[in-house]
Amino acid sequence: MARMFRVLGFWTLAIALMAFAGDMYEMALLFFIQTAVFFLLGYLKFTERAYLMMFWGYMVVAFLGFTYWSVFEMGLPL
């Protein structure tokens, strides 16, 4: 399971580099931070249950943040 967090770190790094190349600096910074956190968690020796709880916590926060941003910050087209 720890290896999966390193894989997530790799993909978030790829997304961050593409965002940086596309002059989307806020998005790039967000994904660089996620990359650092995923690589850090990938090298810590947690139990599989702990990794699963952290992943689902991350998913809940990410989906709530995405939903908040897309509904309240972007506005609804009328």
Side-chain angles (χ1 to χ4, degrees):
M1 185 58 88
R3 183 178 285 169
M4 196 64 224
F5 274 86
R6 284 178 256 164
V7 171
L8 285 170
F10 169 78
W11 287 112
T12 55
L13 178 62
I15 293 169
L17 291 173
M18 288 187 285
F20 189 73
D23 295 330
M24 294 183 278
Y25 298 117
E26 294 86 3
M27 179 180 165
L29 179 63
L30 178 67
F31 275 87
F32 280 130
I33 292 169
Q34 287 182 32
T35 298
V37 169
F38 283 145
F39 275 127
L40 175 72
L41 290 175
Y43 285 103
L44 296 175
K45 301 293 184 191
F46 290 120
T47 64
E48 186 171 352
R49 180 177 172 85
Y51 278 121
L52 285 173
M53 298 297 275
M54 284 186 284
F55 177 72
W56 283 108
Y58 167 76
M59 294 304 291
V60 167
V61 169
F63 285 133
L64 286 175
F66 177 79
T67 302
Y68 170 80
W69 187 265
S70 62
V71 172
F72 296 110
E73 297 295 327
M74 291 179 65
L76 297 172
L78 296 175

